[in-house]
Amino acid sequence: MTDTQSPGEARTRQRQRRQMLYLGLAGAIGGVIGLATGLFDQGAGNLFGGGWQELELPPMLAPGLVALLIGGFVALPLWGFRMIDDYKREQNFIGFTGGCLSVLAGYPIWAVLHAGGFVPPPHAFGIFAIAYVSMILSFLYARWRL
């Protein structure tokens, strides 16, 4: 007996293979960035524990990591948007917009709260965390509500 697929099933399997390849590539890029940063850090800083300004990397490594970061945070998502259907693309755009708006509003809010003595001064990792968490929450909201 031969296993015949309809054209729709073949496209679905192709899309699923591409998605797994995409996730694997994203994981590999993140792993290389984390591994290289962990192995070659010559300072006493910690991105998650504070003191990121004390990180020291070899000058030849930094441009390579920058290229990987641009690839992972800019090029890969833009490439991924062309691989997904319109419905998922809209959900992703809502997620990205939510992350952007939270930074646009979050930084001034944080600065005002700091000026009032309520919180410590704004820092880069905090802004990144605001963007990341709110992007995930915006995406999940769009996914469950649309």
Side-chain angles (χ1 to χ4, degrees):
M1 219 186 298
T2 61
D3 185 25
T4 59
Q5 293 182 6
S6 71
E9 289 172 327
R11 280 193 303 271
T12 298
R13 285 190 181 179
Q14 181 184 24
R15 187 172 43 249
Q16 288 172 340
R17 276 192 303 271
R18 237 183 298 153
Q19 185 177 15
M20 288 299 116
L21 216 82
Y22 177 86
L23 291 174
L25 180 60
I29 289 172
V32 169
I33 292 168
L35 184 66
T37 303
L39 286 177
F40 296 107
D41 178 23
Q42 301 165 343
N46 184 335
L47 285 177
F48 299 106
W52 57 269
Q53 64 276 12
E54 295 175 20
L55 287 174
E56 289 183 33
L57 296 172
M60 295 304 291
L61 178 65
L65 290 177
V66 167
L68 288 172
L69 287 164
I70 290 171
F73 282 110
V74 179
L76 198 59
L78 290 175
W79 176 61
F81 280 140
R82 71 176 193 83
M83 294 190 317
I84 58 178
D85 64 20
D86 294 340
Y87 187 65
K88 287 183 181 178
R89 185 179 300 126
E90 182 177 346
Q91 292 172 345
N92 279 285
F93 285 156
I94 290 170
F96 272 91
T97 303
C100 179
L101 290 175
S102 70
V103 170
L104 290 174
Y107 180 77
I109 290 169
W110 193 350
V112 167
L113 288 173
H114 170 66
F118 292 102
V119 295
H123 51 83
F125 182 74
I127 299 300
F128 176 79
I130 287 172
Y132 196 76
V133 169
S134 62
M135 185 170 40
I136 290 170
L137 293 175
S138 298
F139 172 79
L140 291 174
Y141 176 80
R143 184 172 181 159
W144 290 329
R145 298 293 287 172
L146 295 179

